[in-house]
């Protein structure tokens, strides 16, 4: 503990230096564009270019030319964990403060802080939309759902089985960095973490971790917590693990992933194996009630209603389903094909080590739904893309679509409507 506390400032400075080198981190919100509960959305391309290049120049080059000239933008490379050599769950400060206030449970790590600035993270606490109650709109009451308030918030809205599933989702269980044993990264013994400590209100707060299914440590990918909204239409779970049901995913997390994929450590630290029929299924039943936010400009088929959309948004839709090739993976109405795709981004750069992470091939990645995408920054499986504009530039380069500046802007406008 003394060693890690002493090294914390240097570790965090190294990560912050990397972020500033890669990105423009200014707070520059898009006028009049907000998330579901009103948080401003950051605008503009934040990934910095190598001196002497431009997005147009890069788009005209082959992957080999970009790789051999070392011109691939640093912000498009895999993003390391705040401390790759140590890994583990790291929570944004606002989640830590609210859990401490409500439950007296401390998710602070003495060795690490969260790295990405607040303006690039989802709003907190997020809205909650239920498939069973579209008439109620956001049922969060502006609160973070925890073990302290879940019953008073949902009694009369959910049936008893669903309430029990929610109770389990807000119940803390032992985890690698937060447990009763002496190797924890919390100052005091901890009751652990709950599913909703990362998936705040069934959405996400941007909390990060390392994938449990790869070794050595330097090869483990950073994981940005995905939203659970729209879980009812998804058929693959885990950014790269392709588990076939949310029940399988829940059991995998509890038995191994919470403990960095080491079931021997899990036994030592107090793993609590969930019973499938009376616990895991109850959790899944609640999760599958979580809906996407309303999209008032979309019709029944998930496309823009011409009577409600602007000319810019309609042009963006045409690009999405045409030149941009986005539709090839992101099919309406929910904008996913429930498959996995290998973008082979490693064509554009030489494998190198970045703050302890071996930045090589990503491999196949799940197609995440784009419905409600403006509520879920940062983007890609590891959160390396801070804005929708960054995401458009990334895929324009990777897919070789050669969009003009106006086409990119139109496409972002359409994505905000989803």
């Amino acid at each position: 503990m003394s060693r890690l506390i002493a090294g914390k400032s240097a570790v965090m400075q190294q990560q912050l230096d990397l972020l500033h080198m890669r990105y423009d981190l200014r707070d520059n919100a898009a006028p009049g564009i907000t998330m579901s509960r009103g948080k401003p959305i950051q605008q503009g391309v934040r990934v910095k270019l190598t001196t002497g290049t431009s997005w147009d120049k890069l788009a005209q080059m082959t992957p080999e030319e970009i790789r051999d000239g070392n011109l691939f933008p640093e912000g498009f490379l895999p993003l390391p964990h705040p401390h790759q050599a140590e890994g583990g769950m790291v929570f944004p400060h606002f989640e830590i403060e609210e859990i401490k206030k409500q439950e007296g449970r401390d998710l602070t790590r003495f060795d690490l802080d969260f790295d990405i600035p607040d303006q690039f993270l989802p709003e907190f606490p997020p809205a909650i939309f239920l498939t069973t109650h579209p008439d109620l709109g956001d049922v969060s009451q502006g609160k973070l759902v925890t073990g302290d308030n879940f019953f008073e918030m949902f009694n009369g809205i959910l049936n008893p089985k669903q309430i029990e599933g929610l109770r389990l989702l807000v119940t803390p269980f032992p985890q690698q960095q937060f447990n009763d044993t002496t190797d924890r990264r919390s100052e005091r013994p901890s009751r652990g973490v709950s599913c909703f400590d990362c998936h705040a209100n069934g959405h996400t707060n941007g909390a990060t971790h390392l994938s449990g299914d790869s070794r050595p440590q330097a090869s483990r990918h950073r994981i940005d917590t995905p939203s659970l909204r729209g879980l009812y239409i998804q058929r693959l779970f885990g950014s790269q693990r392709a588990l076939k049901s949310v029940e399988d995913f829940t059991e995998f997390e509890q038995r191994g992933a919470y403990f960095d994929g080491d079931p021997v450590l899990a036994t030592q630290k107090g793993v609590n194996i969930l019973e499938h029929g009376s616990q895991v299924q109850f959790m899944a039943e609640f999760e599958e009630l979580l809906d996407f936010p309303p999209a008032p400009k979309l019709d029944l088929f998930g496309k823009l209603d011409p009577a409600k959309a602007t000319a810019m948004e309609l042009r963006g839709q045409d690009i999405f389903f045409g030149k941009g090739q986005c539709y090839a993976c992101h099919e309406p109405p929910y904008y996913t094909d429930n498959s996995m795709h290998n973008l082979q981004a490693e064509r554009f750069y030489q494998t190198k080590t970045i703050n302890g992470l071996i930045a090589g091939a990503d491999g196949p990645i799940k197609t995440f739904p784009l419905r409600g995408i403006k509520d879920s920054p940062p983007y890609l499986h590891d959160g390396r893309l801070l804005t929708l504009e960054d995401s458009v530039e990334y895929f324009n380069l990777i897919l070789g679509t050669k969009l003009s500046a106006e086409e990119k802007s139109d496409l972002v406008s359409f994505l905000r409507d989803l």
Side-chain angles (χ1 to χ4, degrees):
M1 179 177 175
S2 298
R3 174 180 61 82
L4 291 170
I5 289 174
K8 177 180 176 179
S9 60
V11 166
M12 293 311 304
Q13 190 60 55
Q14 176 181 251
Q15 185 74 353
L16 293 177
D17 288 346
L18 176 69
L19 295 180
H20 281 285
M21 182 270 291
R22 285 185 169 203
Y23 308 112
D24 172 0
L25 296 176
R26 291 176 299 166
D27 188 351
N28 181 21
I33 308 295
T34 66
M35 300 182 198
S36 295
R37 293 193 58 249
K39 181 177 179 177
I41 291 171
Q42 294 295 304
Q43 65 178 344
V45 178
R46 301 308 185 90
V47 171
K48 294 179 179 178
L49 286 166
T50 304
T51 303
T53 63
S54 69
W55 294 113
D56 287 340
K57 286 180 180 178
L58 287 177
Q60 302 305 317
M61 300 173 70
T62 67
E64 293 75 21
E65 289 172 334
I66 293 173
R67 181 192 63 209
D68 295 344
N70 196 29
L71 298 176
F72 196 62
E74 293 285 336
F76 285 174
L77 292 169
L79 181 64
H81 186 277
H83 193 185
Q84 185 74 26
E86 297 295 332
M89 287 185 177
V90 190
F91 297 92
H93 70 92
F94 46 76
E95 178 77 23
I96 294 172
E97 292 160 7
E98 184 62 21
I99 291 295
K100 191 184 297 184
K101 175 183 174 183
Q102 285 199 38
E103 297 189 340
R105 183 164 50 90
D106 195 354
L107 297 174
T108 304
R109 285 183 60 164
F110 55 68
D111 60 334
L112 283 179
D113 293 323
F114 194 77
D115 55 348
I116 297 175
D118 290 2
Q119 63 264 28
F120 299 106
L121 299 178
E123 60 192 344
F124 184 84
I128 303 173
F129 304 99
L130 300 177
T131 59
T132 49
H133 276 288
D135 53 305
L136 297 179
D138 172 20
V139 299
S140 73
Q141 304 176 30
K143 301 176 183 178
L144 179 69
V145 180
T146 68
D148 190 57
N149 62 21
F150 78 95
F151 189 81
E152 66 185 60
M153 289 179 64
F154 286 92
N155 185 33
I157 297 176
L158 303 179
N159 69 34
K161 183 181 180 184
Q162 294 157 356
I163 286 182
E164 172 62 6
L166 176 56
R167 182 191 71 79
L168 289 162
L169 289 164
V170 296
T171 297
F173 295 108
Q175 191 268 345
Q176 180 83 329
Q177 285 73 38
F178 302 95
N179 57 70
D180 289 328
T181 55
T182 54
D183 66 341
R184 64 183 181 271
R185 300 303 161 85
S186 56
E187 184 175 356
R188 296 181 57 80
S190 172
R191 287 183 286 144
V193 301
S194 76
C195 300
F196 274 25
D197 286 347
C198 294
H199 299 284
N201 283 7
H203 183 45
T204 173
N205 55 26
T208 195
H209 199 357
L210 284 179
S211 63
D213 52 340
S214 182
R215 294 295 188 275
Q217 185 78 358
S219 295
R220 296 175 64 187
H221 294 171
R222 176 175 178 149
I223 302 170
D224 175 48
T225 302
S227 175
L228 298 184
R229 291 173 177 175
L231 202 71
Y232 57 93
I233 59 94
Q234 296 186 49
R235 298 294 176 265
L236 292 176
F237 300 91
S239 299
Q240 299 188 278
R241 286 172 284 177
L243 296 164
K244 300 305 185 289
S245 73
V246 70
E247 290 90 342
D248 288 345
F249 183 85
T250 300
E251 292 199 43
F252 176 87
E253 291 290 299
Q254 190 61 38
R255 291 174 183 269
Y258 279 173
F259 303 93
D260 290 344
D262 190 334
V264 177
L265 285 178
T267 302
Q268 173 194 343
K269 295 177 182 182
V271 64
N272 180 24
I273 301 301
L274 298 169
E275 200 280 323
H276 190 94
S278 63
Q279 293 181 306
V280 173
Q281 287 185 349
F282 288 21
M283 296 163 76
E285 183 166 328
F286 175 80
E287 290 171 309
E288 288 164 354
L289 300 179
L290 295 166
D291 207 355
F292 296 108
K297 293 188 178 183
L298 299 186
D299 63 19
L300 296 177
F301 302 101
K303 293 189 176 182
L304 290 175
D305 181 342
K308 298 178 180 178
T310 67
M312 185 178 188
E313 292 163 346
L314 289 167
R315 291 196 305 267
Q317 178 174 258
D318 289 342
I319 293 162
F320 188 97
F321 290 101
K323 183 178 178 181
Q325 299 189 60
C326 315
Y327 73 96
C329 302
H330 297 281
E331 302 170 0
Y334 302 109
Y335 291 86
T336 178
D337 62 358
N338 274 306
S339 185
M340 302 184 77
H341 299 273
N342 189 343
L343 298 173
Q344 299 179 30
E346 66 275 9
R347 294 171 290 151
F348 293 85
Y349 60 90
Q350 301 283 357
T351 297
K352 58 181 176 179
T353 300
I354 306 170
N355 285 7
L357 168 69
I358 298 174
D362 287 315
I365 301 170
K366 169 184 171 178
T367 305
F368 291 96
L370 295 185
R371 275 284 282 110
I373 191 65
K374 69 178 182 178
D375 279 15
S376 304
Y379 303 110
L380 218 60
H381 63 287
D382 58 3
R384 75 184 72 168
L385 305 175
L386 300 183
T387 66
L388 288 173
E389 288 88 343
D390 285 325
S391 303
V392 167
E393 290 290 1
Y394 180 83
F395 283 96
N396 184 54
L397 190 58
I398 296 297
L399 300 180
T401 48
K402 295 182 172 58
L403 301 180
S404 68
E406 182 182 18
E407 289 170 330
K408 294 171 189 174
S409 183
D410 291 345
L411 181 54
V412 169
S413 181
F414 171 66
L415 292 172
R416 289 171 176 170
D417 284 336
L418 297 180

